[in-house]
């Protein structure tokens, strides 16, 4: 169990005055490498912290949204080693050695140019409040990475776990189609 990483009170204070060993995990987020200490201090990663919490509260990456916080809405979707996952249902301590991509990591780092899926969402006004949009976009990016020319049915299937309370569905599908037509995976 990942919670076994929690340092015991004795270990945290060291034995016989020796420095305590603090467990760490390694994460690569949007190309940046992080070594995160696991423990109970406010600046550490708690054993029960979710990846969504860590991204937002420890790394300052608030583009990832938390809607339901129980795996039902898809707002918290990020990519782990290129595959969409629900970050509200993933413990950070389970992500040791993983490569995470959030909405902040999609634009070209050198030029600032938006990812084709991001640009297509803007072109098609595929959002209203925008709360679901980061999760929608990273899910669509993953789809186009593995299937550059998806059918409408495949787009709907890929986005089935991402809910939009504003009802932007048809414009989202239109945006993903446009990104695919323009080579949506090319800027990954
Ligand atoms: S916030 Fe994670 S699925 Fe809703
Ligand atoms: S744009 Fe508001 S929830 Fe989707």
């Amino acid at each position: 169990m990942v919670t076994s990483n929690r340092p015991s009170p004795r270990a945290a204070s060291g034995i016989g005055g020796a420095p305590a060993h603090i467990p760490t995990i390694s994460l690569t987020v949007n190309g940046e490498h992080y070594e995160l200490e696991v423990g109970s201090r406010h600046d550490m990663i708690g054993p029960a912290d979710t990846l969504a919490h860590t991204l937002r509260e420890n790394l300052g990456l608030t583009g990832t949204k938390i809607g339901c916080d129980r795996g039902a809405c898809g707002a918290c979707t990020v990519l782990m080693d290129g595959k969409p996952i629900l970050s509200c249902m993933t413990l950070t301590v389970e992500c040791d050695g993983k490569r995470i991509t959030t909405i902040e990591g999609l634009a070209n780092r050198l030029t600032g140019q938006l990812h084709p899926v991001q640009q297509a969402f803007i072109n098609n006004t595929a959002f209203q409040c925008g709360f679901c949009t980061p999760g929608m976009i990273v899910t669509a990016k993953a789809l186009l990475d593995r299937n550059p020319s998806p059918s409408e049915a495949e787009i709907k299937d890929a986005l089935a776990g991402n809910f939009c309370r504003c009802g932007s569905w048809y414009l989202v599908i239109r945006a993903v189609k446009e990104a695919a037509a323009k080579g949506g995976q090319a800027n990954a």
Side-chain angles (χ1 to χ4, degrees), residues 22 39 51 55 58 73 90 100 106 123 127 131 137 146 172 183:
I22 298 175
L51 180 60
L55 290 171
N58 297 88
C73 75
T90 305
I100 307 296
L106 294 198
N123 295 348
F127 47 80
F131 201 81
I137 289 176
R146 68 177 185 273
V172 166

Side-chain angles (χ1 to χ4, degrees), residues 87-173:
S87 61
C88 78
M89 299 295 287
T90 305
L91 293 177
T92 305
V93 292
E94 294 178 308
C95 301
D96 189 29
K98 300 295 187 184
R99 180 172 52 89
I100 307 296
T101 304
T102 71
I103 189 71
E104 290 93 341
L106 294 198
N108 186 298
R109 289 167 63 110
L110 296 177
T111 66
Q113 182 181 8
L114 294 178
H115 187 279
V117 177
Q118 291 174 301
Q119 190 60 56
F121 269 61
I122 293 172
N123 295 348
N124 291 275
T125 322
F127 47 80
Q128 292 180 54
C129 77
F131 201 81
C132 70
T133 307
M136 290 273 192
I137 289 176
V138 298
T139 303
K141 175 202 178 320
L143 168 66
L144 298 185
D145 284 347
R146 68 177 185 273
N147 179 2
S149 301
S151 65
E152 182 166 319
E154 288 170 329
I155 294 171
K156 289 179 177 176
D157 186 59
L159 291 168
N162 294 76
F163 290 88
C164 176
R165 291 170 179 79
C166 298
S168 297
W169 287 108
Y170 294 105
L171 295 168
V172 166
I173 292 165

Side-chain angles (χ1 to χ4, degrees), residues 48-54 56-57 64-77 86-91 131 165:
D49 284 355
T50 64
L51 180 60
H53 177 92
T54 298
R56 291 178 56 84
E57 305 301 330
T64 298
K65 305 304 182 199
I66 299 176
C68 64
D69 208 13
R70 56 186 61 190
C73 75
C76 65
T77 304
L86 298 176
S87 61
C88 78
M89 299 295 287
T90 305
L91 293 177
F131 201 81
R165 291 170 179 79

